[in-house]
Amino acid sequence: MERDYGAELDEIRRDLQVIRQQLAQSAADHDDRPDIGAPVGKVYRAPGLAQDKALNQVQRRLETECGQSGDSGRIAYAGVFTNGENQSTWSRESVSADGLLRLAGTPAADRVMRALGGPELTMLTAMLKGSRSVSQLVEDCGFGTTGQAYHHLKALLAADLVQEEPSAPRGRYRVIPHRVQGVLMVLCGVADLLSAPGPEGRLIQG
């Protein structure tokens, strides 16, 4: 009986194809990194992480700007917030990550970060909900005395984060309107630091 070498070769090719597919699937199952794209300056193209095509276009633009500027990263964000008294709307299109890193250790950044510790952040979130009197801050934030409230309020005033409400009777305080987004973005950062890792936070390289 003569062997059909052609048929045997075809069967070997099919087996090899099945093995290749199994190996590729196994590698994909064990690799939690997105596909690495072409380098753009210091960063690499990443797959679109959002379902919204417009957001993916922003991501692509930020990657391109990193290539043009040599930055380690670029950030864009937008939002809207109202407490019924005032509304803040903001959009930052291309913030240099390198510029943000250079803020660390500067006197201005240190002053703001000190003013965001513990009770001060609680006071800020209370005032984000609407202007507050000192007595209301004592109640909202659980202070024992008005003296404690004034102590922490003084730090927020010195950091230029809050002001007296100009349209209300003297002694009511609010977050300065153009600081609202900053406080909310700090809370966004805290939420990211507390959240479980997701596909948007995975390493592409390393």
Side-chain angles (χ1 to χ4, degrees), residues 94-142:
S94 186
V95 179
S96 167
D98 293 332
L100 294 176
L101 294 176
R102 286 193 291 271
L103 285 173
T106 63
D110 287 347
R111 184 173 64 250
V112 170
M113 294 308 296
R114 283 195 301 270
L116 292 175
E120 287 82 5
L121 186 56
T122 303
M123 293 180 78
L124 281 171
T125 57
M127 285 183 276
L128 280 177
K129 298 172 185 176
S131 60
R132 292 288 191 272
S133 66
V134 173
S135 61
Q136 287 175 317
L137 289 171
V138 169
E139 182 178 349
D140 291 345
C141 304

Side-chain angles (χ1 to χ4, degrees), residues 30-52:
H30 290 85
D31 187 359
D32 63 352
R33 299 179 302 172
D35 293 335
I36 299 174
V40 189
K42 294 180 181 178
V43 304
Y44 287 81
R45 293 284 186 198
L49 299 176
Q51 295 183 352
D52 188 326

Side-chain angles (χ1 to χ4, degrees), residues 123 127 131-143 145-154 157 164 169-173:
M123 293 180 78
M127 285 183 276
S131 60
R132 292 288 191 272
S133 66
V134 173
S135 61
Q136 287 175 317
L137 289 171
V138 169
E139 182 178 349
D140 291 345
C141 304
F143 295 125
T145 65
T146 56
Q148 286 182 312
Y150 274 116
H151 172 74
H152 297 297
L153 185 60
K154 183 178 178 181
L157 289 165
E164 282 197 81
R170 184 172 176 80
R172 294 185 67 83
Y173 297 88

Side-chain angles (χ1 to χ4, degrees), residues 5-195:
Y5 292 105
E8 290 181 18
L9 286 173
D10 288 341
E11 185 174 355
I12 291 172
R13 291 191 185 98
R14 287 193 294 270
D15 289 342
L16 287 173
Q17 181 64 26
V18 170
I19 291 171
R20 289 192 188 100
Q21 291 173 348
Q22 290 173 340
L23 288 172
Q25 183 60 49
S26 177
D29 290 342
H30 290 85
D31 187 359
D32 63 352
R33 299 179 302 172
D35 293 335
I36 299 174
V40 189
K42 294 180 181 178
V43 304
Y44 287 81
R45 293 284 186 198
L49 299 176
Q51 295 183 352
D52 188 326
K53 290 182 179 179
L55 289 178
N56 287 328
Q57 290 174 351
V58 171
Q59 177 188 317
R60 290 284 176 265
R61 178 168 56 79
L62 294 175
E63 292 166 346
T64 299
E65 290 175 358
C66 283
Q68 294 170 344
S69 66
D71 282 351
S72 300
R74 288 288 177 111
I75 300 164
Y77 52 90
V80 59
F81 173 79
T82 182
N83 57 19
E85 297 177 0
N86 300 290
Q87 177 170 313
S88 294
T89 304
W90 62 92
S91 176
R92 298 291 300 275
E93 294 191 4
S94 186
V95 179
S96 167
D98 293 332
L100 294 176
L101 294 176
R102 286 193 291 271
L103 285 173
T106 63
D110 287 347
R111 184 173 64 250
V112 170
M113 294 308 296
R114 283 195 301 270
L116 292 175
E120 287 82 5
L121 186 56
T122 303
M123 293 180 78
L124 281 171
T125 57
M127 285 183 276
L128 280 177
K129 298 172 185 176
S131 60
R132 292 288 191 272
S133 66
V134 173
S135 61
Q136 287 175 317
L137 289 171
V138 169
E139 182 178 349
D140 291 345
C141 304
F143 295 125
T145 65
T146 56
Q148 286 182 312
Y150 274 116
H151 172 74
H152 297 297
L153 185 60
K154 183 178 178 181
L156 295 174
L157 289 165
D160 197 31
L161 299 179
V162 302
Q163 65 181 185
E164 282 197 81
E165 174 64 72
S167 60
R170 184 172 176 80
R172 294 185 67 83
Y173 297 88
R174 68 175 184 178
V175 178
I176 296 174
H178 66 275
R179 305 295 192 210
V180 168
Q181 62 264 35
V183 177
L184 288 171
M185 294 309 297
V186 166
L187 293 172
C188 282
V190 171
D192 281 346
L193 292 171
L194 295 175
S195 66

